[in-house]
Amino acid sequence: MAAVPHELTINILCHLSVKDLLRFKCVSKPWCSSIDNPDFIKHHLSHSLKTNTNHSLLLRHCGYHFFSVNYDSLKTTQTLKFPLGEQKKTLRILGSCNGLLALENDNQRIFLWNPSTRKSQVLPSTEIGRAGFTCYGFGYDPISDDYKVVRMVQSDKDYSGHCRYGAEVYSLRSNCWRRIKDVCFYLQLNKRFGFLANNAIHWRGFKTPQSGKENLAGFDLASEEFRSVELPDFCLDEPFWLGIEAMGGYLCLSAVHSELGDIVADVWIMKEYGVKESWIKLISWNQPHYIPSVVEPLAFSKNGKKVLFNIGYKWFSFGERDKFVWYDVGSERVENVEIRGLPSKFDAHLYVESLVPLNSNAQQ
């Protein structure tokens, strides 16, 4: 019987889940070597991103309990064990990228964690002390093939009374922090964690303290330069909640507001990155239920016709449980998603399962 060509074997393996690949590493040394190969890891990740497969929802409950839900089925939750031991204090999710998560505990220690491989890493101490309000971001720089954590600490006011941010970047490849030039944007104090889109991390903020117009401060992970990204022009009569994130590779703005006595959730997406005129309103959804504090679009369905929303009752709960719903963009129909084992309150993040490794020379 003729041997299967190596290229065909690799192509077949690329279609498998991370869980299966970790099992198949035990088949033989050649298989283990192939699966651990950096080129294969990138190829498998690229295939998952292009085909929208091997994605899961990560849920955080009570600050330190983590669950995953397979995105293809959305049927049941699976408890995730944090590899650094049982946690009883809050773990904040600083960002997610290519299957890796950046987290911070109450002692300001930062971790990287791959829930799929169950590997984790403690980052070295930061260069800048905690002098004031701190913002974070996490992402991948394809130019240097490196994962980076961005940290910005609000400094004391200068002679003009304006605050600036000292900034530093952690490199997974070198496993160290380094200072970069200060930030010239004035960031939103209640939006500490940036979101990744177009190889840049974004935070809400203002160009000047006196500016009444909010923009996005985008940090390019390759050039390590900041740029301003304009938001769409809109006017909300009575806004209850406003969120900006990334969805399907696009910048996405969502808002819950009152309109002629109705509660409405609107969603805009930026079709062409950096072009203000390319913002379009994708969804305007009249809500028949209680006022939620979070109506967060998470992801498109595989055919792109539906959007999965996380509905969170953070302040106006009225006994309601957090939940997921599908919104059909064409028919405007809403469908509840029933998931077994779903906690009553949670925040949700979409991530792709991957074999992306951490720094083997760093502290585990």
Side-chain angles (χ1 to χ4, degrees), residues 162 184-188 204-216 228-231:
H162 299 160
C184 57
F185 285 88
Y186 298 85
L187 306 179
Q188 284 273 33
R204 289 165 58 181
F206 303 89
K207 286 186 176 180
T208 67
Q210 297 83 14
S211 173
K213 182 173 175 55
E214 186 176 7
N215 289 301
L216 295 180
S228 178
V229 180
E230 291 191 84
L231 297 176

Side-chain angles (χ1 to χ4, degrees), residues 54-286:
N54 294 321
H55 283 69
S56 290
L57 295 174
L58 181 86
L59 313 181
R60 187 187 64 145
H61 171 61
C62 290
Y64 53 83
H65 293 301
F66 290 90
F67 304 88
S68 68
V69 182
N70 183 280
Y71 188 63
D72 287 334
S73 63
L74 294 176
K75 294 296 184 183
T76 187
T77 61
Q78 178 182 355
T79 302
L80 296 175
K81 293 184 178 179
F82 191 64
L84 295 177
E86 186 177 0
Q87 300 290 315
K88 291 296 184 182
K89 294 185 178 180
T90 298
L91 286 169
R92 289 167 289 275
I93 298 176
L94 310 182
S96 171
C97 178
N98 292 349
L100 298 183
L101 278 82
L103 306 102
E104 182 195 45
N105 66 12
D106 279 346
N107 297 322
Q108 287 85 54
R109 292 309 304 269
I110 301 174
F111 310 83
L112 295 181
W113 178 33
N114 185 328
S116 303
T117 62
R118 301 180 182 178
K119 299 294 185 181
S120 65
Q121 175 182 326
V122 181
L123 271 57
S125 298
T126 57
E127 294 284 327
I128 306 173
R130 182 176 286 271
F133 174 74
T134 306
C135 293
Y136 297 94
F138 175 61
Y140 173 68
D141 171 16
I143 304 301
S144 62
D145 187 23
D146 196 7
Y147 290 86
K148 298 178 179 180
V149 178
V150 182
R151 181 173 180 266
M152 297 176 290
V153 180
Q154 186 184 59
S155 60
D156 294 332
K157 293 182 179 180
D158 59 23
Y159 65 90
S160 64
H162 299 160
C163 291
R164 297 187 68 83
Y165 288 81
E168 59 185 336
V169 171
Y170 167 83
S171 158
L172 179 61
R173 183 177 291 277
S174 64
N175 190 37
C176 67
W177 294 90
R178 55 186 170 78
R179 288 289 302 265
I180 59 174
K181 67 180 182 180
D182 290 352
V183 184
C184 57
F185 285 88
Y186 298 85
L187 306 179
Q188 284 273 33
L189 297 182
N190 61 339
K191 300 297 178 184
R192 299 178 54 202
F193 311 127
F195 56 91
L196 183 66
N198 205 64
N199 298 324
I201 303 171
H202 302 81
W203 297 265
R204 289 165 58 181
F206 303 89
K207 286 186 176 180
T208 67
Q210 297 83 14
S211 173
K213 182 173 175 55
E214 186 176 7
N215 289 301
L216 295 180
F219 178 79
D220 188 293
L221 287 162
S223 66
E224 298 189 350
E225 297 284 341
F226 283 89
R227 58 176 176 243
S228 178
V229 180
E230 291 191 84
L231 297 176
D233 293 324
F234 60 91
C235 180
L236 304 179
D237 293 338
E238 296 182 40
F240 299 114
W241 178 80
L242 179 69
I244 307 175
E245 54 276 312
M247 182 178 68
Y250 298 110
L251 288 178
C252 175
L253 183 149
S254 51
V256 180
H257 62 102
S258 175
E259 185 175 288
L260 300 177
D262 293 330
I263 304 303
V264 179
D266 290 336
V267 177
W268 291 264
I269 60 171
M270 182 179 250
K271 297 290 288 184
E272 185 178 349
Y273 181 78
V275 179
K276 178 183 177 182
E277 293 73 22
S278 70
W279 282 103
I280 63 168
K281 185 184 287 190
L282 181 70
I283 292 170
S284 189
W285 167 22
N286 283 26

